[in-house]
Amino acid sequence: MLRTTPLQAITFDLDDTLWDNHGVMVATETGHYAWLDRELGAWLSMRGQQGSPSFAERFPLEAFEQRRRALARAHPLRRGDFTWLRERALREMLAEFGLDPAAARLWAGAAMERFMELRHRVEPHPEVEPLLAGLSRHYRLASITNGNVAVQRLALGRHFPVAIAAGEMFAPKPDPRPFLAALGRLGVTPTRAMHVGDSWREDVEPARRLGMRSVWISPQVDSLPLPPGVHRLDHVRELPALLRRLGQEAPLLPGC
């Protein structure tokens, strides 16, 4: 067993670390856009204004994606604020579709409410709830995400007294500022903290540069040696075993 400096805090990425995110995003992207097209069409029809093409025919989903990328280039400080980019893109396209500014704002906001409802239909891995519950008895926990999931809206949010939405602070990972903000609110130094995430560029590297220990959730086996303080796991469920190997406190998970 390797003895290391005792940890006081563990920070977590969310998407593709605590749950699989691809299916959620596909359902959210297509679902909210189809909702907007359908409901807007019905509203216009009631007003005797519905014609052809429909909104989604005039602006296919690919056009929405292109508009968001263009806005990110035009507003670099907002490049990680995905909620703002989406709503701004919708407002612009709805105005070009013929809606007056007030109606465009109303429908863009309604579509984003639908988006956020679908976006939070995530299914954390079964081991995540007992893992966080056990870890919270030994460590201060925080989440640091570039995504627009508000973890407080999820049941597991109660385990995160500190939740950092990096894009909303105009400093998406790998910028060090969201990590520093989390550490400051947790009241710990980097050497007493560990970060867990699935991205080498956005999670491992910035945490390592600050002096935090890092856990890389990556099922892809790589024979290259990892830098000191960096550990690769196939799945977040393996975190307690790693902590025990490092001489740290760790919960026992059912079936593990």
Side-chain angles (χ1 to χ4, degrees):
M1 180 173 65
L2 178 62
R3 290 288 179 183
T4 58
T5 304
L7 288 171
Q8 295 177 331
I10 301 178
T11 61
F12 287 88
D13 173 55
L14 297 177
D15 293 329
D16 292 317
T17 296
L18 300 186
W19 54 75
D20 293 327
N21 198 50
H22 176 72
V24 175
M25 284 308 304
V26 170
T28 300
E29 189 80 270
T30 57
H32 91 290
Y33 211 67
W35 178 91
L36 174 61
D37 188 52
R38 181 179 65 252
E39 297 299 320
L40 176 62
W43 182 74
L44 289 172
S45 180
M46 286 190 301
R47 297 165 63 92
Q49 299 176 6
Q50 176 68 341
S52 182
S54 70
F55 177 75
E57 289 170 338
R58 168 83 181 277
F59 297 102
L61 195 55
E62 295 78 10
F64 181 33
E65 296 168 355
Q66 293 170 4
R67 184 67 62 101
R68 299 198 310 264
R69 288 195 292 270
L71 282 169
R73 290 191 296 271
H75 303 272
L77 284 179
R78 293 275 195 174
R79 70 189 186 282
D81 191 350
F82 301 126
T83 302
W84 183 88
L85 290 172
R86 287 176 175 279
E87 187 160 0
R88 175 67 179 266
L90 286 172
R91 283 172 56 187
E92 289 185 1
M93 294 188 303
L94 286 163
E96 292 170 20
F97 188 61
L99 271 64
D100 62 61
R105 186 178 302 108
L106 182 152
W107 279 101
M112 285 308 301
E113 288 181 7
R114 179 62 174 168
F115 176 91
M116 295 304 286
E117 176 190 344
L118 297 171
R119 180 72 175 93
H120 286 81
R121 293 183 183 179
V122 299
E123 296 185 9
H125 300 305
E127 303 88 351
V128 166
E129 171 61 32
L131 170 66
L132 295 177
L135 291 174
S136 65
R137 291 194 285 269
H138 304 288
Y139 306 101
R140 303 166 210 173
L141 304 183
S143 65
I144 307 174
T145 181
N146 278 359
N148 50 10
V149 165
V151 73
Q152 297 90 344
R153 291 177 60 166
L154 307 178
L156 58 78
R158 68 185 184 277
H159 300 301
F160 292 114
V162 173
I164 303 295
E168 293 178 8
M169 58 184 295
F170 305 153
K173 298 181 294 182
D175 193 296
R177 284 176 286 178
F179 295 89
L180 293 171
L183 294 172
R185 296 182 196 179
L186 292 170
V188 298
T189 61
T191 57
R192 291 296 187 95
M194 171 182 280
H195 181 68
V196 182
D198 71 294
S199 171
W200 182 268
R201 177 178 177 272
E202 295 178 357
D203 293 303
V204 175
E205 279 292 349
R208 186 173 71 91
R209 285 194 294 267
L210 288 174
M212 300 172 69
R213 279 160 274 187
S214 301
V215 175
W216 183 28
I217 306 297
S218 174
Q220 299 181 3
V221 177
D222 192 330
S223 60
L224 293 176
L226 295 172
V230 178
H231 309 274
R232 189 193 67 80
L233 300 178
D234 288 342
H235 195 280
V236 72
R237 72 170 70 94
E238 301 170 1
L239 182 58
L242 171 64
L243 291 170
R244 284 191 287 273
R245 289 198 302 272
L246 297 176
Q248 306 290 339
E249 297 286 350
L252 289 172
L253 300 186
C256 295

